[in-house]
Structures are given as structure tokens and as C-alpha cells.
Amino acid sequence: MEFQNIVFEVEESIAVVKINRPNKLNALNEQTLKELQEVFNEIQNNERIYVAILTGEGEKAFVAGADINELNKLDVISAKKFAEFGQGVFNLIENLGKPVIAAVNGFALGGGCELALACHFRVASENAKFGQPEVNLGIIPGYGGTQRLARQINSGRAMQIILTGEMIDANEAYRIGLVNKVFPQNELLDKAKEIARTIASKGQIAVRYALQAVVASNNLPVEDGLKYEASLFSLCMGTEDFKEGTSAFLEKRKPEFKGK
Ligand code: COA
């Protein structure tokens, strides 16, 4: 697969996707969004890949937003398609069925913050900065920011970030629960890989059911979510990994999961 604006690597069961337009601070133009769609379809279909990490090339930006050159040309009709296409790509990531970790290595603004929010959780470098600066451009977030930010953090704080367009640093992002951990820039990717390897060492059917159940909690009333959880919980008992995991515990040895 040939990409212009993305670097895609697979190391054992971990995929690393780097958005690669550093001279434009990795801004998301249409081509980059199409390539993201293509690469995440590949990750979804590739049985060798268990976990993906999404990051940006360079030391300055994860993604500094949608490409403002393209935004500037939109009208009422094309803007709806623009938002729906981006939302579709971000929904693909959220509903990938495999964990996606955002390793936020610099600016994550507008569409960049929204892209990080579509991932299942976020770690960041010390120089990372987050924001939804769309109001500075006379627009509102269009790739899910009004929905996912308010679900991820306290809704009043999300409201303030969106309405003021303020940029927050990595420590503040950690304090409000937007990122799980902050690392020095030069350690970020290795630390993200360490987390990915931990996830990859578990029973993958259980990992995927757990992921599915938590993702569903965003959209289901708690009663329906609990029913869904009980169904997926019982399905685990039909797997070899369940026998292996519980037997290994009882036999005081490390489990060898096969994802079956
Ligand atoms: N779309 C298109 N190009 C962008 C961009 C974006 N969202 N963000 C940065 N760039 C480009 C700049 O135009 C510049 O290109 P040039 O060298 O060809 O002029 C290059 O990336 C470097 O950016 P620059 O602004 O010079 O870097 P900086 O360190 O001075 O400022 C930011 C960094 C992130 C504060 C600033 O680039 C910025 O505010 N970007 C837009 C953020 C935004 O509003 N995003 C939401 C869009 S909905």
C-alpha cells in the first residue's frame, strides 16, 4: 500500500500509523483523511494486528487541525459532506474492534483533538497542546468534538474549551482526564508501544469484547449496556482463551493465549 501522507509500520502485532505532513503540522487534508480510512480498513482486516498506535511525524504536531486551505473553500453543501466524511473516518477508528491508542506528540488542535478523541485512549508528550480553536475561524468543531469531548471530560470544561478556543497543555489535559499519562517527547512512542504490547499479550477475544462493551457504553442506556456486557461475558466462556486463562491461574503458570 502506497501512502503520500501517512507512514504505516507493523511490528509484530502492533501497528504504528504516523500522519506525515510535518511542514503543515500534519493538518488533515482530504488526501490524508482518505489514507487514514484506507490504513484503518487494513488494520481492521489484518488478523496479525492486535493494537494500533496513531501519532504524528515530527516533534511539533500530532495534527494541527483540518486543513484550513480546504476549509476556506467550503460552502453550505460541500461543508456537510466534508464533516460527514471526516466523521465517518473517525467513527471507523472508534468502532474498529481493535484498540487504538493516540500518542499525542505535539499540537492536537481542532480535527487533531477530535482524532485523538476518536481513539480509545490517549497518552501525550510533555509539549503536547490540545484545543478546539474552531471559534477563532468562525466555525464549530465538525469531526465530533462537540460530542466526544463532552463525553470524555467534564461537560462544563468541554464547553469552556470549545467556546473560548483556549489551548491547554499536557499537564492540564492530564488533570482533566483527556490523557492518561504524560511522557518526555523522546519516550512517548516507546511508552505507547509498551502499553500496546501489554494489551497484545492478553486474550484477544476478551480484549475485543471488553473494547466493544466500553465503546457501546457511549451510546446505550445503562440497562441495555449491562445486558450487552452479560452477553459478551458469557461468549468468553466459549473460548479456548478462557480455559487457558483460568487453568493457568489455578496451575500457577503464565497463560498462553491463542485468540481462539
Ligand atoms: N491547516 C493548514 N495549514 C496549517 C494548519 C492547518 N490547520 N496548521 C498549521 N498549518 C501550516 C501553516 O500554514 C504553516 O504553513 P506555511 O509554512 O506553508 O506557512 C505551517 O503549517 C507551520 O505552521 P505555523 O503557523 O507557521 O507554526 P507556528 O508554530 O507559528 O504555529 C499553530 C502553530 C498550531 C499555533 C498554528 O499553526 C495554528 O494556529 N494552526 C491552526 C490551528 C487551527 O486553527 N486548527 C483548527 C482548524 S479547524
Side-chain angles (χ1 to χ4, degrees), residues 21-28 60-61 63-71 82 107-112 114 131-134 136-137 139-142 167:
R21 291 182 82 206
N23 58 348
K24 293 290 171 194
L25 303 189
N26 301 326
L28 293 176
K60 202 167 166 188
V63 166
D67 190 306
I68 298 173
N69 294 297
E70 290 184 358
L71 271 180
F82 177 95
F107 290 113
L109 303 175
E114 292 167 304
Q132 297 289 162
E134 286 86 350
N136 297 332
L137 303 169
I139 57 173
I140 72 165
M167 243 192 255

Side-chain angles (χ1 to χ4, degrees), residues 60-101:
K60 202 167 166 188
F62 173 70
V63 166
D67 190 306
I68 298 173
N69 294 297
E70 290 184 358
L71 271 180
N72 178 252
K73 299 186 181 76
L74 294 177
D75 59 26
V76 172
I77 305 291
S78 56
K80 188 142 182 286
K81 281 193 186 152
F82 177 95
E84 286 171 353
F85 179 60
Q87 287 178 4
V89 177
F90 290 17
N91 288 344
L92 167 68
I93 294 172
E94 186 173 47
N95 297 304
L96 198 72
K98 299 178 184 181
V100 184
I101 305 168

